[in-house]
Amino acid sequence: MLKEVRVRNAPSPTGFLHIGGIRTFLYNYLFARKNNGKYILRIEDTDQARLVAGSLENIVQSLADLGISADEGPYWDNGLKTRGDKGPYVQSERLDLYKKYAQELVDKKFAYYCFCSAKRLEELRNDQEAKKFPPKYDKRCLNLSPDEIAKKISSNESHVIRLNVQPDQMIEFHDLVYGDIKISSNEIDDQILLKSDGFPTYHLAVVVDDYLMQISHVIRANEWIPSTPKHILLYKAFGWDLPEFVHLPPILSKKTGKKLAKREGDVAVAAFLEKGYLPAAIINFLALLGWNPKTEQEIFSLTELVNEFSFDKLHKSGAIFDLDKLDWFNSVYIRKLKIDELLVLCLPYLIKAGIKIDRYPKNFIQKILTLEQERLKKLSEIGDRVKYFFQEQDYEPQLLIWKKTDKQTILKNLNSLQKFLQSLPEQKFAEDALEQEIKKFLEEKNIRTGEALWPLRVALTGLEASPGPFEIMDAFGILPDGKEIILQRINKAIEKLF
Ligand code: GLU
């Protein structure tokens, strides 16, 4: 029988969840879902000095916001909750387990107590550096007799437990992305497994937990490849079967071509969501960073990603982190929204921009959002884009001038338009009939469209770029005082040109 797929992410709560880092979570999640397996979240908080308050909540909540939730471990449901029967899922609550397994290794002589002081270790390192040797512990404490060890322990001498690496062994493992990897044990230090404060190091904890939580595939960033041989030695020492290893290619900076620097990729997921990136767009963007479904298709729903996901389509080389591409995905997803969905999503941004939306009819707001939907890259832009509908914007008179047209012509055209619009019944404004009427009028009067419609549009918006003047007037036409607003703005433009 095939082993159940059980995968995990093991973040350390040492900061907020970063956008680049999510990809590893996503691939684990997709692989679990694709194989009807379990997705587990485990919290690696063994480095107590680096803990950042609130980061556990941030990690779990950000994942929930993106639609990734753990089958076991902490998850977010109006607060931090935990589920699963292989817990605790937070390493600091598992210290007794690590102690027990470290002791088992000591008993089997795969590990040993080390009482060397920080000072001695530093001297050793300096000495090795001077001789250009790689820094390694010299196994001095391996030679302590059982009596000496017992005496030191009973007198509370500070100590750690180290892995006893045997020289001249070839350590081999297979990685599903990078293939067979081999390394000589001579290159591996006698790694500390249990620290003097009783906490395990990452290496001991990750192996013990992956084993006890029955992890089938370890899917993580390729920066962990150099640690994997140490883990292999531990699996062998315990006599445990190895999981499959899948190391993911790095994400590279578009600017430097190098591994994504902290500054670029470390923008918190929450910050992206706040700017109005849609979770589905973020997921789609991240999924394609280093994984290629080998079709022309670029837009994938989460369900489609689950169906398509497999390791053989993972790249070995790095993937470029391109924020323009994320913007593109986001605009595609924004265009897919139904107008009422867009309205709900835009509300907080409109309110934030100081727009008193409750004073306007819903169909007016819907109309202006429809106008912007095509060009919106992120929801947070909406306030700036539509504020002219709610408040007259200031602008330079020069903006009213269409190409090389002279000022007098523009002024004359605005005057004619104003008179004409004034003469139209209000009902025409409400009926979306202005386009036809105005075009007919311009034709009759032999007025060139650019020389009339450009200044009209600028008069209405105060902007260099916006939807067209007819669309804007149709929107204003929904308001009871739509005609008045339009005429007032044209008036203002005429004043500006004087
Ligand atoms: N705590 C490690 C990290 O945050 C986990 C590495 C692993 O998955 O083994 O990257």
Side-chain angles (χ1 to χ4, degrees), residues 103-229:
Q103 190 56 50
E104 181 183 324
L105 292 182
V106 172
D107 295 344
K108 290 178 170 171
K109 307 258 182 289
F110 287 118
Y112 59 95
Y113 285 94
C114 171
F115 299 88
C116 287
S117 65
K119 185 163 167 280
R120 171 167 196 263
L121 294 175
E122 197 190 325
E123 282 165 9
L124 182 64
R125 214 168 21 243
N126 291 342
D127 187 45
Q128 286 165 335
E129 246 165 48
K131 292 181 183 143
K132 302 233 171 337
F133 290 158
K136 260 169 115 181
Y137 180 63
D138 61 358
K139 290 186 186 277
R140 181 200 258 191
C141 287
L142 187 59
N143 302 320
L144 292 173
S145 71
D147 277 355
E148 281 171 307
I149 294 170
K151 226 161 87 198
K152 282 173 182 290
I153 290 180
S154 67
S155 62
N156 275 336
E157 232 180 90
S158 172
H159 61 272
V160 299
I161 291 181
R162 285 182 185 274
L163 179 64
N164 183 14
V165 179
Q166 302 300 314
D168 303 326
Q169 293 176 59
M170 199 44 95
I171 305 165
E172 297 176 38
F173 67 97
H174 183 75
D175 184 276
L176 291 183
V177 174
Y178 290 92
D180 291 328
I181 296 178
K182 273 190 203 175
I183 177 174
S184 158
S185 64
N186 296 341
E187 289 180 40
I188 298 178
D189 193 12
D190 279 4
Q191 177 69 52
I192 294 176
L193 300 177
L194 205 66
K195 298 183 276 189
S196 55
D197 61 3
F199 276 76
T201 55
Y202 159 70
H203 305 286
L204 176 67
V206 75
V207 169
V208 167
D209 288 349
D210 283 346
Y211 169 73
L212 292 178
M213 295 179 185
Q214 295 171 7
I215 299 304
S216 61
H217 296 73
V218 169
I219 308 169
R220 62 185 168 203
N222 75 349
E223 66 188 276
W224 298 104
I225 289 181
S227 296
T228 310

Side-chain angles (χ1 to χ4, degrees), residues 435-448:
E435 177 164 5
Q436 267 186 350
E437 296 284 344
I438 292 178
K439 280 189 172 158
K440 211 166 77 197
F441 169 75
L442 295 179
E443 220 175 283
E444 278 167 20
K445 297 277 172 198
N446 241 333
I447 299 176
R448 279 194 248 159

Side-chain angles (χ1 to χ4, degrees), residues 21 24 57 107-108 167 178 225 254 256 286 316 322 330 362 380 390 430 445 477 483:
T24 315
E57 287 78 1
D107 295 344
K108 290 178 170 171
Y178 290 92
I225 289 181
K254 192 178 172 190
T256 64
L286 291 176
K316 270 201 195 70
D322 182 355
N330 207 44
K362 186 177 172 194
S380 56
F390 304 92
K445 297 277 172 198
K483 177 175 175 182

Side-chain angles (χ1 to χ4, degrees), residues 339-340 343 357 360-368 478:
I339 191 62
D340 277 335
L343 180 67
I357 27 168
Y360 296 86
K362 186 177 172 194
N363 56 344
F364 174 66
I365 308 283
Q366 282 172 324
K367 177 84 176 187
I368 65 175
I478 294 172

